[in-house]
Amino acid sequence: MSLILIHTDRFAEHQTPPGHPERPERAEVLDAIAGRWRGRGTEVVAPREATREQLLRVHDADYLRRIAETAGRATALDPDTYTSPESYEVALLAAGACVDGVERVMSSAHRAAFALVRPPGHHAERTRAMGFCLFNNVAVAAAHARALGARRVAIVDFDVHHGNGTQHIFEADPTVLYVSTHQYPYYPGTGAAEEIGRDGGRGFTVNLPLEVGAVDDDYQLAFTRIVVPVVRQFEPDLVIVSAGFDAHERDPLGGMRVTTPAFAAMTRELRAVADDCCRGRLVAAVEGGYDLQALGTSLDGAIDALAGDVQPAAWPSSGIRSSRGDEAVAATSAAIRGFWNV
Ligand SMILES: [Zn+2]
C-alpha cells in the first residue's frame, strides 16, 4: 500500500520538430526522476500499451485508425501536434501507463500511482489530436476506472492550459467530475467559469479561469475555496490528477507565477481529499511543463507529496495576491451555485 511510479525510457522516442516545446529532453527529466525515486526504494514499473477496447471508451474508431496510420511516419496532425515513426507506440504506452496506475490503485495493490509520461493528453478530443496530445491519457484512465467499478471519478487538472478534451469527453457524464484551474483567456480558448457541463452532467464540470500572472496565493485560494470542497462533496472512489507543471514561473509557455513548492502543496491537498474519500486512491499523470528545471523540481515535489506519510499542505506565501484570484473564485462559485456548497 504505497506509491508506485510508472515509466519507461521509451517516452523519449516520440520526436517533435526542432524548437518544439514538447521535446524528447522532457523524457530525460522523467528518466532522471524515476531513477532517483527508484534509488530511494520506490517501485518503478514499465507500462503496457493501452488496448483498443480501453481507447474506444473515449476516442472513436475512425480517430484510432487515423492515429494508427501514423505508425512509422512523421506527420503533422495539427499546427502544434506532430508524430514521428515511434509516436503511435509511445502514445499507446502513455495511455497504458495511466490505465496501469488505475488498475494498481483500484485493486488496492498500491495506494497511489504517478504516470511519468509523454506525450501529454488533456487536449486530445474524442476525434481529434490537439495541443501536443494524441490520446487523452487521463480520460482513458477515468473510463477504465469506471469499467472496473468505480462509481464516481474526480479529475483535477492544474496544468496551465484548460483540458478541453477531458472536459468535452465527460461533460454530459455525472459520474466523472472535471475540475480545472488554468490561465484564461488562453490556449485552447475553453474553460470559462460558465462551462459547467451539459444535460445530466450539468454541475460536474468546474472551471477556475485565472488571469495571467496568478501567484501561489491565487492557487491556494482556488484550491481551498473551490477545488478541495467540490471534490470532497463529490465523494469520489478515485482521484485522478492531470499534473501539468506549466503554471510555473519559469515556464516558457504559461504566464503564471507559481513556484515549485506550490505544486507539492496542490498535490498534498488532493492527497488529503483522496485519503478522506477513497482510502487515498489517487492516480496522477504528467501533462505539460516546458522548462526542464521547473519540470524536474516541481514533479519531484508532487511525487514527494504522494510518498511517505501524510503531511499538511505547506503553501508558500508570496505575500501578494493578484486580486483576480478572488474574482475567479467568485465567478466559479456563482456558476456552480445550486450544485456545490462552496
Ligand atoms: Zn499545458
Side-chain angles (χ1 to χ4, degrees), residues 55-136:
L55 296 168
L56 276 173
R57 295 186 186 122
V58 304
H59 293 292
D60 79 14
D62 185 57
Y63 178 68
L64 294 187
R65 183 184 54 73
R66 276 186 285 135
I67 299 300
E69 285 172 359
T70 71
R73 295 194 298 136
T75 66
L77 296 168
D78 93 339
D80 302 315
T81 313
Y82 297 86
T83 69
S84 60
E86 306 289 342
S87 295
Y88 175 58
E89 275 183 27
V90 175
L92 289 175
L93 287 170
C98 298
V99 166
D100 200 10
V102 165
E103 292 190 342
R104 289 169 187 277
V105 168
M106 290 302 292
S107 69
S108 298
H110 294 86
R111 188 192 68 249
F114 214 127
L116 309 182
V117 301
R118 69 180 282 273
H122 72 156
H123 295 305
E125 297 272 1
R126 186 174 289 277
T127 62
R128 190 152 67 101
M130 199 176 143
F132 319 160
C133 302
L134 302 185
F135 300 127
N136 195 312

Side-chain angles (χ1 to χ4, degrees), residues 122-123 159-161 246 288 290:
H122 72 156
H123 295 305
D159 190 278
V160 80
H161 303 95
D246 41 10
Y290 303 100

